[in-house]
Amino acid sequence: MSDSTGNPLDDPAADPFEVAATAAEDIARITGVERHDIALTLGSGWGKAAELLGETTASFPATQVTGFSAPALTGHVGTLRSVVTPKGRRVLVIGARTHFYEGHGPRRVVHSVRTAAATGARTMVLTNGAGGIKHTWTPGTPVLISDHINLTGATPLEGATFIDLTDLYSLRLRDLARSIDPTLDEGVYCQFHGPQYETPAEVQMAKAIGGHIVGMSTALEAIAARQAGMEVLGFSLITNMAAGIQKTPLSHHEVLDAGREAEPVISSLLARVIGAL
Ligand code: HPA
């Protein structure tokens, strides 16, 4: 049953895993692919990777799948794709992210991850565009996420669901990524609520508590992926130096421009890493 928004996840009585199972059935029907092996969520700047992964066998609006909502922002394409890699692995490419700041709650934020798990995917690759705290990270630098600090005050887990998050961002997969690009640096991702960018004082707080990257996604999704038993790999594209690290103001256009410029390089990196999974 769905409420007046038409999204079944907005019904508090709905079981989000059942909604995800229905969504996975939708995907199997639309794509003709019974099981996917790997899922990839595309953040700002990472959009071209899908084309380099292999052959796209199906591409469709996410809104055709149960529980997905229309995209809220330019730069976030609401498309799902099924791609087959040269090795024959099936990749579900998710170009439809629901952000926590949209205010629909954690169930909607992590629905794509739970759906990916229900399609059979055992590996979840999460990418985003984010602000960098390390001075050596100029805009356009891709970095691995080594860990996160969840500053949203929210969780996708419901009830007394105790999930171990040690090695949430798999060391095995980070090492594999570094075997493809040894220059990859890594850092701790801080998920803020957004949608306002951080104040310089908030960036200094993030730095003081051990953060290196600031953004508005990924942590809640990674938690849900681990709950579903998936192995997680996270990448941030540093689109800008975080507020106060650079002295000029931040703009959403700057973030999108940096993403566009870095896109060819980081997309090929991502395709090579996924090709090696
Ligand atoms: N902060 C939060 N989210 C972001 C940023 C940032 O500086 N850049 C891109 N996404």
Side-chain angles (χ1 to χ4, degrees):
M1 206 185 81
S2 61
D3 75 355
S4 59
T5 66
N7 191 312
L9 288 166
D10 293 340
D11 173 2
D15 176 345
F17 296 95
E18 277 176 21
V19 180
T22 306
E25 285 166 18
D26 293 340
I27 290 171
R29 190 185 64 251
I30 295 166
T31 61
V33 177
E34 208 49 53
R35 283 182 68 82
H36 284 83
D37 304 301
I38 299 162
L40 163 64
T41 297
L42 297 172
S44 321
W46 297 90
K48 287 277 182 299
E51 277 127 63
L52 304 176
L53 284 174
E55 186 197 341
T56 297
T57 60
S59 177
F60 49 99
T63 46
Q64 289 182 2
V65 178
T66 303
F68 282 76
S69 351
L73 256 190
T74 56
H76 298 266
V77 191
T79 302
L80 302 181
R81 294 194 200 202
S82 183
V83 176
V84 59
T85 70
K87 279 196 207 162
R89 310 207 71 201
R90 298 286 180 169
V91 186
L92 180 67
V93 181
I94 302 162
R97 183 176 246 148
T98 300
H99 286 89
F100 188 56
Y101 59 68
E102 291 172 48
H104 302 303
R107 283 182 169 198
R108 293 264 289 266
V109 172
V110 304
H111 178 59
S112 60
V113 170
R114 287 183 173 150
T115 298
T119 69
R122 309 313 307 149
T123 308
M124 186 74 231
V125 182
L126 296 168
T127 66
N128 59 55
I133 294 181
K134 284 199 196 174
H135 284 90
T136 49
W137 294 345
T138 50
T141 307
V143 298
L144 287 163
I145 301 176
S146 59
D147 202 345
H148 80 220
I149 298 173
N150 173 9
L151 296 173
T152 64
T155 172
L157 307 180
E158 298 180 25
T161 310
F162 303 108
I163 302 286
D164 175 35
L165 299 182
T166 312
D167 192 33
L168 175 57
Y169 298 87
S170 163
L171 181 58
R172 186 184 82 84
L173 295 183
R174 279 184 278 144
D175 282 344
L176 184 133
R178 278 187 286 255
S179 75
I180 287 164
D181 181 356
T183 69
L184 274 173
D185 202 354
E186 66 178 23
V188 174
Y189 181 92
C190 294
Q191 181 175 356
F192 282 82
H193 187 295
Q196 70 283 359
Y197 291 116
E198 301 71 34
T199 63
E202 286 165 345
V203 170
Q204 287 308 311
M205 176 195 75
K207 184 177 178 184
I209 62 177
H212 308 106
I213 309 163
V214 290
M216 306 175 195
S217 68
T218 304
L220 297 177
E221 295 158 46
I223 294 168
R226 170 49 53 91
Q227 179 188 26
M230 300 165 100
E231 198 174 10
V232 178
L233 176 63
F235 277 106
S236 289
L237 169 68
I238 303 303
T239 56
N240 56 279
M241 289 188 174
I245 304 287
Q246 66 176 6
K247 297 301 165 207
T248 50
L250 306 192
S251 80
H252 185 57
H253 283 296
E254 174 195 21
V255 168
L256 293 181
D257 286 349
R260 261 192 292 276
E261 274 172 36
E263 206 154 41
V265 173
I266 62 172
S267 298
S268 114
L269 165 67
L270 188 56
R272 279 180 291 149
V273 172
I274 290 177
L277 288 175

mmCIF file with all atom_site columns, all heavy atoms in Angstrom, residues 44 129-132 189-190 192 196-198 203 214-216 237 239-243 250 255, ligand 1:
data_model
loop_
_atom_site.group_PDB
_atom_site.id
_atom_site.type_symbol
_atom_site.label_atom_id
_atom_site.label_alt_id
_atom_site.label_comp_id
_atom_site.label_asym_id
_atom_site.label_entity_id
_atom_site.label_seq_id
_atom_site.pdbx_PDB_ins_code
_atom_site.Cartn_x
_atom_site.Cartn_y
_atom_site.Cartn_z
_atom_site.occupancy
_atom_site.B_iso_or_equiv
_atom_site.pdbx_formal_charge
_atom_site.auth_seq_id
_atom_site.auth_comp_id
_atom_site.auth_asym_id
_atom_site.auth_atom_id
_atom_site.pdbx_PDB_model_num
ATOM   1   N N   . SER A 1 44  ? 27.993 13.070 -8.490 1.00 0.00 ? 44  SER A N   1
ATOM   2   C CA  . SER A 1 44  ? 28.394 14.155 -9.408 1.00 0.00 ? 44  SER A CA  1
ATOM   3   C C   . SER A 1 44  ? 29.791 13.895 -9.932 1.00 0.00 ? 44  SER A C   1
ATOM   4   O O   . SER A 1 44  ? 30.723 13.701 -9.159 1.00 0.00 ? 44  SER A O   1
ATOM   5   C CB  . SER A 1 44  ? 28.447 15.520 -8.713 1.00 0.00 ? 44  SER A CB  1
ATOM   6   O OG  . SER A 1 44  ? 27.431 15.690 -7.819 1.00 0.00 ? 44  SER A OG  1
ATOM   7   N N   . GLY A 1 129 ? 30.513 13.377 -5.321 1.00 0.00 ? 129 GLY A N   1
ATOM   8   C CA  . GLY A 1 129 ? 31.328 14.580 -5.431 1.00 0.00 ? 129 GLY A CA  1
ATOM   9   C C   . GLY A 1 129 ? 31.349 15.217 -4.049 1.00 0.00 ? 129 GLY A C   1
ATOM   10  O O   . GLY A 1 129 ? 30.315 15.231 -3.373 1.00 0.00 ? 129 GLY A O   1
ATOM   11  N N   . ALA A 1 130 ? 32.481 15.708 -3.600 1.00 0.00 ? 130 ALA A N   1
ATOM   12  C CA  . ALA A 1 130 ? 32.587 16.142 -2.206 1.00 0.00 ? 130 ALA A CA  1
ATOM   13  C C   . ALA A 1 130 ? 33.626 17.236 -2.054 1.00 0.00 ? 130 ALA A C   1
ATOM   14  O O   . ALA A 1 130 ? 34.408 17.506 -2.960 1.00 0.00 ? 130 ALA A O   1
ATOM   15  C CB  . ALA A 1 130 ? 32.961 14.949 -1.327 1.00 0.00 ? 130 ALA A CB  1
ATOM   16  N N   . GLY A 1 131 ? 33.633 17.863 -0.887 1.00 0.00 ? 131 GLY A N   1
ATOM   17  C CA  . GLY A 1 131 ? 34.635 18.874 -0.563 1.00 0.00 ? 131 GLY A CA  1
ATOM   18  C C   . GLY A 1 131 ? 35.841 18.225 0.099  1.00 0.00 ? 131 GLY A C   1
ATOM   19  O O   . GLY A 1 131 ? 35.695 17.275 0.872  1.00 0.00 ? 131 GLY A O   1
ATOM   20  N N   . GLY A 1 132 ? 37.011 18.732 -0.208 1.00 0.00 ? 132 GLY A N   1
ATOM   21  C CA  . GLY A 1 132 ? 38.246 18.161 0.349  1.00 0.00 ? 132 GLY A CA  1
ATOM   22  C C   . GLY A 1 132 ? 38.818 19.037 1.445  1.00 0.00 ? 132 GLY A C   1
ATOM   23  O O   . GLY A 1 132 ? 38.791 20.264 1.344  1.00 0.00 ? 132 GLY A O   1
ATOM   24  N N   . TYR A 1 189 ? 35.276 10.142 5.214  1.00 0.00 ? 189 TYR A N   1
ATOM   25  C CA  . TYR A 1 189 ? 34.170 10.927 4.649  1.00 0.00 ? 189 TYR A CA  1
ATOM   26  C C   . TYR A 1 189 ? 33.201 11.311 5.768  1.00 0.00 ? 189 TYR A C   1
ATOM   27  O O   . TYR A 1 189 ? 32.741 10.442 6.512  1.00 0.00 ? 189 TYR A O   1
ATOM   28  C CB  . TYR A 1 189 ? 33.451 10.072 3.598  1.00 0.00 ? 189 TYR A CB  1
ATOM   29  C CG  . TYR A 1 189 ? 32.293 10.752 2.895  1.00 0.00 ? 189 TYR A CG  1
ATOM   30  C CD1 . TYR A 1 189 ? 32.488 11.438 1.711  1.00 0.00 ? 189 TYR A CD1 1
ATOM   31  C CD2 . TYR A 1 189 ? 30.999 10.687 3.411  1.00 0.00 ? 189 TYR A CD2 1
ATOM   32  C CE1 . TYR A 1 189 ? 31.426 12.053 1.047  1.00 0.00 ? 189 TYR A CE1 1
ATOM   33  C CE2 . TYR A 1 189 ? 29.933 11.302 2.757  1.00 0.00 ? 189 TYR A CE2 1
ATOM   34  C CZ  . TYR A 1 189 ? 30.160 11.982 1.580  1.00 0.00 ? 189 TYR A CZ  1
ATOM   35  O OH  . TYR A 1 189 ? 29.102 12.591 0.933  1.00 0.00 ? 189 TYR A OH  1
ATOM   36  N N   . CYS A 1 190 ? 32.874 12.581 5.867  1.00 0.00 ? 190 CYS A N   1
ATOM   37  C CA  . CYS A 1 190 ? 31.882 13.037 6.841  1.00 0.00 ? 190 CYS A CA  1
ATOM   38  C C   . CYS A 1 190 ? 30.595 13.360 6.103  1.00 0.00 ? 190 CYS A C   1
ATOM   39  O O   . CYS A 1 190 ? 30.572 14.267 5.261  1.00 0.00 ? 190 CYS A O   1
ATOM   40  C CB  . CYS A 1 190 ? 32.353 14.305 7.543  1.00 0.00 ? 190 CYS A CB  1
ATOM   41  S SG  . CYS A 1 190 ? 33.799 14.033 8.551  1.00 0.00 ? 190 CYS A SG  1
ATOM   42  N N   . PHE A 1 192 ? 27.327 15.159 6.137  1.00 0.00 ? 192 PHE A N   1
ATOM   43  C CA  . PHE A 1 192 ? 26.507 16.203 6.757  1.00 0.00 ? 192 PHE A CA  1
ATOM   44  C C   . PHE A 1 192 ? 25.078 16.094 6.217  1.00 0.00 ? 192 PHE A C   1
ATOM   45  O O   . PHE A 1 192 ? 24.847 15.476 5.177  1.00 0.00 ? 192 PHE A O   1
ATOM   46  C CB  . PHE A 1 192 ? 27.066 17.588 6.422  1.00 0.00 ? 192 PHE A CB  1
ATOM   47  C CG  . PHE A 1 192 ? 28.272 17.980 7.243  1.00 0.00 ? 192 PHE A CG  1
ATOM   48  C CD1 . PHE A 1 192 ? 29.545 17.537 6.903  1.00 0.00 ? 192 PHE A CD1 1
ATOM   49  C CD2 . PHE A 1 192 ? 28.133 18.797 8.365  1.00 0.00 ? 192 PHE A CD2 1
ATOM   50  C CE1 . PHE A 1 192 ? 30.654 17.901 7.662  1.00 0.00 ? 192 PHE A CE1 1
ATOM   51  C CE2 . PHE A 1 192 ? 29.235 19.163 9.121  1.00 0.00 ? 192 PHE A CE2 1
ATOM   52  C CZ  . PHE A 1 192 ? 30.501 18.716 8.772  1.00 0.00 ? 192 PHE A CZ  1
ATOM   53  N N   . GLN A 1 196 ? 22.618 22.827 2.619  1.00 0.00 ? 196 GLN A N   1
ATOM   54  C CA  . GLN A 1 196 ? 23.590 23.926 2.691  1.00 0.00 ? 196 GLN A CA  1
ATOM   55  C C   . GLN A 1 196 ? 24.993 23.323 2.776  1.00 0.00 ? 196 GLN A C   1
ATOM   56  O O   . GLN A 1 196 ? 25.181 22.274 3.383  1.00 0.00 ? 196 GLN A O   1
ATOM   57  C CB  . GLN A 1 196 ? 23.329 24.831 3.909  1.00 0.00 ? 196 GLN A CB  1
ATOM   58  C CG  . GLN A 1 196 ? 23.619 24.231 5.279  1.00 0.00 ? 196 GLN A CG  1
ATOM   59  C CD  . GLN A 1 196 ? 22.546 23.255 5.766  1.00 0.00 ? 196 GLN A CD  1
ATOM   60  O OE1 . GLN A 1 196 ? 21.569 23.023 5.100  1.00 0.00 ? 196 GLN A OE1 1
ATOM   61  N NE2 . GLN A 1 196 ? 22.758 22.665 6.930  1.00 0.00 ? 196 GLN A NE2 1
ATOM   62  N N   . TYR A 1 197 ? 25.963 23.965 2.124  1.00 0.00 ? 197 TYR A N   1
ATOM   63  C CA  . TYR A 1 197 ? 27.345 23.558 2.324  1.00 0.00 ? 197 TYR A CA  1
ATOM   64  C C   . TYR A 1 197 ? 27.736 23.903 3.756  1.00 0.00 ? 197 TYR A C   1
ATOM   65  O O   . TYR A 1 197 ? 27.080 24.707 4.421  1.00 0.00 ? 197 TYR A O   1
ATOM   66  C CB  . TYR A 1 197 ? 28.261 24.268 1.317  1.00 0.00 ? 197 TYR A CB  1
ATOM   67  C CG  . TYR A 1 197 ? 28.055 23.793 -0.116 1.00 0.00 ? 197 TYR A CG  1
ATOM   68  C CD1 . TYR A 1 197 ? 27.573 24.656 -1.099 1.00 0.00 ? 197 TYR A CD1 1
ATOM   69  C CD2 . TYR A 1 197 ? 28.332 22.479 -0.484 1.00 0.00 ? 197 TYR A CD2 1
ATOM   70  C CE1 . TYR A 1 197 ? 27.381 24.218 -2.408 1.00 0.00 ? 197 TYR A CE1 1
ATOM   71  C CE2 . TYR A 1 197 ? 28.140 22.035 -1.793 1.00 0.00 ? 197 TYR A CE2 1
ATOM   72  C CZ  . TYR A 1 197 ? 27.660 22.911 -2.743 1.00 0.00 ? 197 TYR A CZ  1
ATOM   73  O OH  . TYR A 1 197 ? 27.462 22.473 -4.031 1.00 0.00 ? 197 TYR A OH  1
ATOM   74  N N   . GLU A 1 198 ? 28.827 23.296 4.207  1.00 0.00 ? 198 GLU A N   1
ATOM   75  C CA  . GLU A 1 198 ? 29.264 23.490 5.583  1.00 0.00 ? 198 GLU A CA  1
ATOM   76  C C   . GLU A 1 198 ? 29.773 24.917 5.792  1.00 0.00 ? 198 GLU A C   1
ATOM   77  O O   . GLU A 1 198 ? 30.258 25.568 4.867  1.00 0.00 ? 198 GLU A O   1
ATOM   78  C CB  . GLU A 1 198 ? 30.429 22.527 5.917  1.00 0.00 ? 198 GLU A CB  1
ATOM   79  C CG  . GLU A 1 198 ? 30.099 21.070 5.749  1.00 0.00 ? 198 GLU A CG  1
ATOM   80  C CD  . GLU A 1 198 ? 29.954 20.640 4.287  1.00 0.00 ? 198 GLU A CD  1
ATOM   81  O OE1 . GLU A 1 198 ? 30.669 21.188 3.421  1.00 0.00 ? 198 GLU A OE1 1
ATOM   82  O OE2 . GLU A 1 198 ? 29.103 19.766 4.022  1.00 0.00 ? 198 GLU A OE2 1
ATOM   83  N N   . VAL A 1 203 ? 33.659 22.684 8.916  1.00 0.00 ? 203 VAL A N   1
ATOM   84  C CA  . VAL A 1 203 ? 34.755 21.980 8.250  1.00 0.00 ? 203 VAL A CA  1
ATOM   85  C C   . VAL A 1 203 ? 35.907 21.769 9.238  1.00 0.00 ? 203 VAL A C   1
ATOM   86  O O   . VAL A 1 203 ? 36.508 20.682 9.295  1.00 0.00 ? 203 VAL A O   1
ATOM   87  C CB  . VAL A 1 203 ? 35.210 22.749 6.986  1.00 0.00 ? 203 VAL A CB  1
ATOM   88  C CG1 . VAL A 1 203 ? 36.507 22.166 6.434  1.00 0.00 ? 203 VAL A CG1 1
ATOM   89  C CG2 . VAL A 1 203 ? 34.111 22.723 5.922  1.00 0.00 ? 203 VAL A CG2 1
ATOM   90  N N   . VAL A 1 214 ? 34.131 16.153 3.004  1.00 0.00 ? 214 VAL A N   1
ATOM   91  C CA  . VAL A 1 214 ? 32.787 16.519 3.476  1.00 0.00 ? 214 VAL A CA  1
ATOM   92  C C   . VAL A 1 214 ? 31.787 16.408 2.332  1.00 0.00 ? 214 VAL A C   1
ATOM   93  O O   . VAL A 1 214 ? 32.045 16.830 1.213  1.00 0.00 ? 214 VAL A O   1
ATOM   94  C CB  . VAL A 1 214 ? 32.748 17.943 4.091  1.00 0.00 ? 214 VAL A CB  1
ATOM   95  C CG1 . VAL A 1 214 ? 33.501 17.975 5.422  1.00 0.00 ? 214 VAL A CG1 1
ATOM   96  C CG2 . VAL A 1 214 ? 33.307 19.001 3.157  1.00 0.00 ? 214 VAL A CG2 1
ATOM   97  N N   . GLY A 1 215 ? 30.635 15.820 2.651  1.00 0.00 ? 215 GLY A N   1
ATOM   98  C CA  . GLY A 1 215 ? 29.621 15.632 1.622  1.00 0.00 ? 215 GLY A CA  1
ATOM   99  C C   . GLY A 1 215 ? 28.254 15.383 2.224  1.00 0.00 ? 215 GLY A C   1
ATOM   100 O O   . GLY A 1 215 ? 28.070 15.487 3.443  1.00 0.00 ? 215 GLY A O   1
ATOM   101 N N   . MET A 1 216 ? 27.304 15.056 1.347  1.00 0.00 ? 216 MET A N   1
ATOM   102 C CA  . MET A 1 216 ? 25.899 14.958 1.770  1.00 0.00 ? 216 MET A CA  1
ATOM   103 C C   . MET A 1 216 ? 25.282 13.621 1.370  1.00 0.00 ? 216 MET A C   1
ATOM   104 O O   . MET A 1 216 ? 24.073 13.523 1.202  1.00 0.00 ? 216 MET A O   1
ATOM   105 C CB  . MET A 1 216 ? 25.085 16.084 1.142  1.00 0.00 ? 216 MET A CB  1
ATOM   106 C CG  . MET A 1 216 ? 25.640 17.468 1.404  1.00 0.00 ? 216 MET A CG  1
ATOM   107 S SD  . MET A 1 216 ? 24.682 18.709 0.505  1.00 0.00 ? 216 MET A SD  1
ATOM   108 C CE  . MET A 1 216 ? 25.799 20.122 0.620  1.00 0.00 ? 216 MET A CE  1
ATOM   109 N N   . LEU A 1 237 ? 34.990 12.181 -5.575 1.00 0.00 ? 237 LEU A N   1
ATOM   110 C CA  . LEU A 1 237 ? 35.683 13.125 -6.447 1.00 0.00 ? 237 LEU A CA  1
ATOM   111 C C   . LEU A 1 237 ? 35.724 14.444 -5.677 1.00 0.00 ? 237 LEU A C   1
ATOM   112 O O   . LEU A 1 237 ? 34.669 14.975 -5.288 1.00 0.00 ? 237 LEU A O   1
ATOM   113 C CB  . LEU A 1 237 ? 34.914 13.319 -7.752 1.00 0.00 ? 237 LEU A CB  1
ATOM   114 C CG  . LEU A 1 237 ? 35.434 14.489 -8.593 1.00 0.00 ? 237 LEU A CG  1
ATOM   115 C CD1 . LEU A 1 237 ? 36.834 14.189 -9.128 1.00 0.00 ? 237 LEU A CD1 1
ATOM   116 C CD2 . LEU A 1 237 ? 34.478 14.812 -9.731 1.00 0.00 ? 237 LEU A CD2 1
ATOM   117 N N   . THR A 1 239 ? 35.503 17.890 -5.654 1.00 0.00 ? 239 THR A N   1
ATOM   118 C CA  . THR A 1 239 ? 35.067 18.889 -6.636 1.00 0.00 ? 239 THR A CA  1
ATOM   119 C C   . THR A 1 239 ? 35.487 20.294 -6.210 1.00 0.00 ? 239 THR A C   1
ATOM   120 O O   . THR A 1 239 ? 35.492 21.215 -7.023 1.00 0.00 ? 239 THR A O   1
ATOM   121 C CB  . THR A 1 239 ? 33.532 18.865 -6.799 1.00 0.00 ? 239 THR A CB  1
ATOM   122 O OG1 . THR A 1 239 ? 32.938 19.053 -5.520 1.00 0.00 ? 239 THR A OG1 1
ATOM   123 C CG2 . THR A 1 239 ? 33.056 17.556 -7.401 1.00 0.00 ? 239 THR A CG2 1
ATOM   124 N N   . ASN A 1 240 ? 35.800 20.439 -4.938 1.00 0.00 ? 240 ASN A N   1
ATOM   125 C CA  . ASN A 1 240 ? 36.166 21.766 -4.408 1.00 0.00 ? 240 ASN A CA  1
ATOM   126 C C   . ASN A 1 240 ? 36.878 21.563 -3.085 1.00 0.00 ? 240 ASN A C   1
ATOM   127 O O   . ASN A 1 240 ? 36.690 20.541 -2.422 1.00 0.00 ? 240 ASN A O   1
ATOM   128 C CB  . ASN A 1 240 ? 34.895 22.613 -4.177 1.00 0.00 ? 240 ASN A CB  1
ATOM   129 C CG  . ASN A 1 240 ? 33.922 21.906 -3.254 1.00 0.00 ? 240 ASN A CG  1
ATOM   130 O OD1 . ASN A 1 240 ? 33.165 21.026 -3.695 1.00 0.00 ? 240 ASN A OD1 1
ATOM   131 N ND2 . ASN A 1 240 ? 33.939 22.249 -1.981 1.00 0.00 ? 240 ASN A ND2 1
ATOM   132 N N   . MET A 1 241 ? 37.700 22.535 -2.715 1.00 0.00 ? 241 MET A N   1
ATOM   133 C CA  . MET A 1 241 ? 38.230 22.518 -1.355 1.00 0.00 ? 241 MET A CA  1
ATOM   134 C C   . MET A 1 241 ? 37.083 22.911 -0.432 1.00 0.00 ? 241 MET A C   1
ATOM   135 O O   . MET A 1 241 ? 36.279 23.787 -0.769 1.00 0.00 ? 241 MET A O   1
ATOM   136 C CB  . MET A 1 241 ? 39.392 23.472 -1.235 1.00 0.00 ? 241 MET A CB  1
ATOM   137 C CG  . MET A 1 241 ? 40.606 22.945 -1.989 1.00 0.00 ? 241 MET A CG  1
ATOM   138 S SD  . MET A 1 241 ? 42.041 23.953 -1.673 1.00 0.00 ? 241 MET A SD  1
ATOM   139 C CE  . MET A 1 241 ? 43.303 23.009 -2.521 1.00 0.00 ? 241 MET A CE  1
ATOM   140 N N   . ALA A 1 242 ? 36.970 22.244 0.699  1.00 0.00 ? 242 ALA A N   1
ATOM   141 C CA  . ALA A 1 242 ? 35.855 22.479 1.612  1.00 0.00 ? 242 ALA A CA  1
ATOM   142 C C   . ALA A 1 242 ? 35.858 23.940 2.089  1.00 0.00 ? 242 ALA A C   1
ATOM   143 O O   . ALA A 1 242 ? 36.890 24.613 2.051  1.00 0.00 ? 242 ALA A O   1
ATOM   144 C CB  . ALA A 1 242 ? 35.949 21.527 2.791  1.00 0.00 ? 242 ALA A CB  1
ATOM   145 N N   . ALA A 1 243 ? 34.710 24.401 2.537  1.00 0.00 ? 243 ALA A N   1
ATOM   146 C CA  . ALA A 1 243 ? 34.538 25.810 2.923  1.00 0.00 ? 243 ALA A CA  1
ATOM   147 C C   . ALA A 1 243 ? 35.609 26.238 3.932  1.00 0.00 ? 243 ALA A C   1
ATOM   148 O O   . ALA A 1 243 ? 35.886 25.538 4.895  1.00 0.00 ? 243 ALA A O   1
ATOM   149 C CB  . ALA A 1 243 ? 33.149 26.005 3.525  1.00 0.00 ? 243 ALA A CB  1
ATOM   150 N N   . LEU A 1 250 ? 31.765 28.770 -2.130 1.00 0.00 ? 250 LEU A N   1
ATOM   151 C CA  . LEU A 1 250 ? 31.431 27.577 -2.904 1.00 0.00 ? 250 LEU A CA  1
ATOM   152 C C   . LEU A 1 250 ? 30.176 27.832 -3.714 1.00 0.00 ? 250 LEU A C   1
ATOM   153 O O   . LEU A 1 250 ? 29.282 28.531 -3.261 1.00 0.00 ? 250 LEU A O   1
ATOM   154 C CB  . LEU A 1 250 ? 31.115 26.395 -1.987 1.00 0.00 ? 250 LEU A CB  1
ATOM   155 C CG  . LEU A 1 250 ? 32.114 25.988 -0.942 1.00 0.00 ? 250 LEU A CG  1
ATOM   156 C CD1 . LEU A 1 250 ? 31.717 24.627 -0.372 1.00 0.00 ? 250 LEU A CD1 1
ATOM   157 C CD2 . LEU A 1 250 ? 33.503 25.922 -1.529 1.00 0.00 ? 250 LEU A CD2 1
ATOM   158 N N   . VAL A 1 255 ? 30.911 23.001 -8.404 1.00 0.00 ? 255 VAL A N   1
ATOM   159 C CA  . VAL A 1 255 ? 30.938 21.569 -8.110 1.00 0.00 ? 255 VAL A CA  1
ATOM   160 C C   . VAL A 1 255 ? 30.640 20.769 -9.384 1.00 0.00 ? 255 VAL A C   1
ATOM   161 O O   . VAL A 1 255 ? 31.340 19.816 -9.726 1.00 0.00 ? 255 VAL A O   1
ATOM   162 C CB  . VAL A 1 255 ? 29.913 21.249 -6.992 1.00 0.00 ? 255 VAL A CB  1
ATOM   163 C CG1 . VAL A 1 255 ? 29.682 19.761 -6.855 1.00 0.00 ? 255 VAL A CG1 1
ATOM   164 C CG2 . VAL A 1 255 ? 30.378 21.861 -5.671 1.00 0.00 ? 255 VAL A CG2 1
HETATM 165 N N1  . HPA B 2 .   ? 30.409 19.993 0.990  1.00 0.00 ? 1   HPA B N1  1
HETATM 166 C C1  . HPA B 2 .   ? 29.385 19.136 0.953  1.00 0.00 ? 1   HPA B C1  1
HETATM 167 N N2  . HPA B 2 .   ? 29.000 18.515 -0.142 1.00 0.00 ? 1   HPA B N2  1
HETATM 168 C C2  . HPA B 2 .   ? 29.679 18.760 -1.263 1.00 0.00 ? 1   HPA B C2  1
HETATM 169 C C3  . HPA B 2 .   ? 30.750 19.643 -1.298 1.00 0.00 ? 1   HPA B C3  1
HETATM 170 C C4  . HPA B 2 .   ? 31.141 20.286 -0.106 1.00 0.00 ? 1   HPA B C4  1
HETATM 171 O O1  . HPA B 2 .   ? 32.092 21.091 -0.059 1.00 0.00 ? 1   HPA B O1  1
HETATM 172 N N3  . HPA B 2 .   ? 31.202 19.660 -2.582 1.00 0.00 ? 1   HPA B N3  1
HETATM 173 C C5  . HPA B 2 .   ? 30.426 18.799 -3.278 1.00 0.00 ? 1   HPA B C5  1
HETATM 174 N N4  . HPA B 2 .   ? 29.499 18.254 -2.484 1.00 0.00 ? 1   HPA B N4  1
#
